[in-house]
Amino acid sequence: MSTENVAFEVEECSVRITRARAKELSESGGILCSSKSSGVQMPILRANSKRMASDDIKICSISSNGLPIKRRAVLKDVTNISTKGSDRNCGNASNVRGAKPTRRVSAKAKANAPLNVSAGAEEDANTRLAEDLSKVRVVESQEVSSRETSDKKERTVQAMCPNSRDCGVSDITLSVSSDESVPQPNEKNMSPEQSAASKDRGIINIDSDSKCLQSCSIYAPDIYDRIRVAELDQRTSTNYMEQLQQDITEKMRGILVDWIVEVTEEYKLVPDTLYLTVNIIDRFLSQNHMEKKRLQLLGVASMLIASKYEEICAPRVEDFCFITDNTYTKGEVVEMESEVLNQLHFRLSVPTTKTFLRRFIQSAHASYKVPCTELEFLANYLAELSLVEYSFLKFLPSLIAASAVFLARWTLDQSDHPWNPTLEHYTCYNASELKTVVLALQDLQLNTSGSSLNAIREKYKQPKFKCVAKLTSTRSVLSLF
């Protein structure tokens, strides 16, 4: 083939050459021109093609004697090769292929790069990194301490002024050092002037050094303030016998309560169960007419509810049926229990006389160097005597508890007045306000009416209660008012 024919065929290679066309040219002795000389766009060769590059395309060049020389295409890693034309058509190849090519190139670069970093330089870098981390930890610890200091200041403001939002205390900046003591919430939110004034009046802070965790000394003032409001909201009707009940009387109610006291002693139930049982009975009778034959059923169901609420291990329904000599079946007790709960709307967290009695006895013990157990038993005895009497429903539970402490102190010690500023502060009653209830309790203590309901008296004649039921005052309490 002459040189002119070769040049002619090179000039005609301006069209796209397919594989079939290339095969025809190779069989007929034609020449497949290069893309550089003819401007033909060569197909992009990929490494994962099923055929070898030598089978797909044969690139020819002209030797000195005019014969074509066949060469195999050498494929390299072209996944990261980008030209201006390829960027416009298919975008960045590395983004299409993923991060693998980048990792491959970086690995090659690391393998070919000279190692210029010495061991000493690495140690210096690690030292600088450790110093930076320590600085970061110091900054974080300073931020945490600053946040704790700000929280302590905010708690101090709230302790000094509960209505800080109303009085604008949020705009005041307080400087509280780490050595200064923050006022505790158990100081009844008193200012220093008020605290000093209370000490001058002889009021002892009963919550300052309380070691009993169950007394909740930190929150006790707020708790009992809330309970004082609740006893007014959930008060029992004081005249339901006259207005609603027609088949039962006050004496029947007293007999039922006296029997419940015996049952609580038999099953060793806590005093809170006894007080809550009587409260449930009175609240139910304040809203529903009750027949005489179902009165004991109401007492059993009320005791079952109170036991479930107050006791750790409440007696079973069968036990309550047994104590009634199987007068009522299990189904009747459960049905009555459901009726009582629905009538009371499941409101069982009610303040009773026992709720206030714990707080007031603690206040009475503040003036003693050693706690007096007889005072506690005697106050509980007098308070339980009021459960049997229907006439005591007209008095608030807190008033009955304060009067029981008053009379108990007078019974044990008649050489001094039983009321003091500490008791007046924590009970919120002065001596003159207790006069009516104290006189009524003394009549129960002396049994001036000759009542035959002796379950409570027999209970507190036992040695485990110091036989406080046998104690009586030799002087009349009327002289104190």
Side-chain angles (χ1 to χ4, degrees):
M1 184 179 297
S2 62
T3 306
E4 295 178 357
N5 295 334
V6 173
F8 177 76
E9 291 186 4
V10 170
E11 291 176 357
E12 290 181 352
C13 291
S14 59
V15 295
R16 182 178 178 84
I17 300 179
T18 61
R19 293 182 181 179
R21 180 62 178 168
K23 186 175 182 181
E24 292 177 358
L25 291 176
S26 60
E27 291 177 356
S28 60
I31 301 174
L32 181 62
C33 58
S34 175
S35 62
K36 294 182 180 180
S37 59
S38 60
V40 178
Q41 297 179 358
M42 299 296 296
I44 299 176
L45 303 179
R46 302 187 182 273
N48 58 356
S49 178
K50 294 182 179 180
R51 295 185 180 183
M52 296 298 295
S54 59
D55 297 335
D56 292 341
I57 302 175
K58 296 179 181 180
I59 302 178
C60 304
S61 61
I62 307 303
S63 62
S64 58
N65 56 2
L67 297 175
I69 300 176
K70 296 182 180 180
R71 295 180 181 177
R72 292 183 177 272
V74 180
L75 295 180
K76 298 181 179 180
D77 188 8
V78 295
T79 55
N80 286 333
I81 298 176
S82 61
T83 59
K84 295 181 180 180
S86 61
D87 290 340
R88 289 191 301 267
N89 296 332
C90 59
N92 191 358
S94 62
N95 294 333
V96 176
R97 299 290 294 176
K100 290 183 180 180
T102 305
R103 288 197 297 268
R104 190 184 300 118
V105 173
S106 60
K108 291 182 179 180
K110 289 182 180 180
N112 297 328
L115 299 175
N116 296 328
V117 181
S118 61
E122 291 181 356
E123 293 179 358
D124 295 339
N126 294 334
T127 303
R128 288 194 298 271
L129 180 60
E131 292 176 355
D132 295 338
L133 291 176
S134 62
K135 292 179 181 179
V136 170
R137 294 191 184 98
V138 170
V139 172
E140 290 179 351
S141 63
Q142 291 176 353
E143 292 178 354
V144 172
S145 61
S146 63
R147 287 196 299 268
E148 292 178 352
T149 304
S150 62
D151 293 341
K152 185 183 294 184
K153 292 179 180 179
E154 184 178 355
R155 289 195 299 269
T156 304
V157 172
Q158 294 178 355
M160 295 178 64
C161 182
N163 301 323
S164 57
R165 295 183 180 178
D166 300 334
C167 60
V169 181
S170 58
D171 299 333
I172 300 176
T173 304
L174 297 179
S175 58
V176 181
S177 62
S178 58
D179 297 333
E180 294 177 352
S181 60
V182 180
Q184 297 295 330
N186 58 15
E187 294 183 1
K188 194 60 179 177
N189 300 326
M190 292 183 181
S191 63
E193 294 80 6
Q194 294 174 344
S195 179
S198 64
K199 291 180 180 179
D200 295 338
R201 289 184 294 155
I203 298 176
I204 303 174
N205 186 3
I206 65 174
D207 298 318
S208 59
D209 298 326
S210 179
K211 297 181 181 179
C212 180
L213 298 179
Q214 294 181 352
S215 63
C216 301
S217 59
I218 298 179
Y219 311 104
D222 296 331
I223 291 174
Y224 279 92
D225 287 344
R226 178 66 185 88
I227 293 176
R228 295 296 290 267
V229 177
E231 74 170 339
L232 297 175
D233 296 338
Q234 304 178 18
R235 190 174 181 181
T236 306
S237 175
T238 60
N239 55 357
Y240 65 83
M241 284 289 182
E242 297 81 7
Q243 293 185 353
L244 184 60
Q245 303 301 330
Q246 299 176 358
D247 199 20
I248 61 175
T249 61
E250 299 177 11
K251 186 177 180 180
M252 293 179 183
R253 176 192 175 275
I255 295 173
L256 176 63
V257 174
D258 190 75
W259 175 75
I260 291 174
V261 172
E262 294 180 353
V263 174
T264 55
E265 275 295 291
E266 179 69 22
Y267 286 96
K268 295 181 173 57
L269 304 180
V270 296
D272 300 80
T273 303
L274 172 62
Y275 283 91
L276 183 57
T277 301
V278 177
N279 180 272
I280 292 174
I281 292 173
D282 289 329
R283 282 196 292 160
F284 185 82
L285 292 177
S286 300
Q287 304 174 10
N288 298 272
H289 175 267
M290 179 60 59
E291 297 178 355
K292 180 172 55 177
K293 62 180 181 181
R294 300 182 71 240
L295 183 60
Q296 189 178 13
L297 177 61
L298 173 63
V300 171
S302 301
M303 193 162 20
L304 176 62
I305 295 171
S307 300
K308 291 181 178 180
Y309 188 81
E310 296 288 355
E311 300 292 334
I312 297 177
C313 297
R316 301 175 302 172
V317 182
E318 292 81 2
D319 297 331
F320 288 106
C321 294
F322 174 76
I323 61 177
T324 61
D325 197 17
N326 294 321
T327 305
Y328 308 104
T329 62
K330 178 180 178 181
E332 290 176 332
V333 174
V334 173
E335 183 180 358
M336 190 65 189
E337 177 191 14
S338 177
E339 183 180 351
V340 172
L341 287 174
N342 288 318
Q343 185 66 43
L344 301 182
H345 304 288
F346 289 83
R347 298 182 66 180
L348 302 178
S349 298
V350 293
T352 61
T353 303
K354 184 62 177 179
T355 306
F356 295 99
L357 202 57
R358 290 190 178 93
R359 180 75 167 172
F360 297 164
I361 291 176
Q362 184 183 3
S363 304
H365 282 160
S367 59
Y368 291 94
K369 294 182 180 180
V370 179
C372 181
T373 56
E374 290 185 352
L375 172 64
E376 182 177 356
F377 293 146
L378 185 55
N380 280 283
Y381 165 64
L382 296 174
E384 288 187 19
L385 286 177
S386 66
L387 294 175
V388 183
E389 299 297 324
Y390 168 78
S391 59
F392 274 80
L393 291 178
K394 60 186 177 182
F395 302 120
L396 290 174
S398 60
L399 184 60
I400 297 175
S403 301
V405 174
F406 185 100
L407 184 57
R409 284 174 60 89
W410 173 251
T411 303
L412 295 175
D413 185 11
Q414 300 177 15
S415 62
D416 194 9
H417 198 282
W419 216 236
N420 54 41
T422 302
L423 283 167
E424 183 176 346
H425 173 72
Y426 286 102
T427 62
C428 300
Y429 294 110
N430 54 41
S432 60
E433 294 173 331
L434 304 177
K435 178 180 178 180
T436 304
V437 185
V438 170
L439 292 176
L441 282 177
Q442 190 177 39
D443 290 341
L444 292 179
Q445 182 185 23
L446 299 176
N447 194 16
T448 56
S449 62
S451 176
S452 60
L453 304 177
N454 295 322
I456 298 176
R457 303 181 194 278
E458 295 298 328
K459 170 183 176 181
Y460 281 93
K461 284 181 181 179
Q462 302 178 41
K464 66 177 181 179
F465 294 112
K466 302 291 183 180
C467 302
V468 294
K470 298 179 181 180
L471 300 177
T472 56
S473 58
T474 57
R475 293 173 53 189
S476 175
V477 73
L478 185 60
S479 61
L480 300 175
F481 303 103

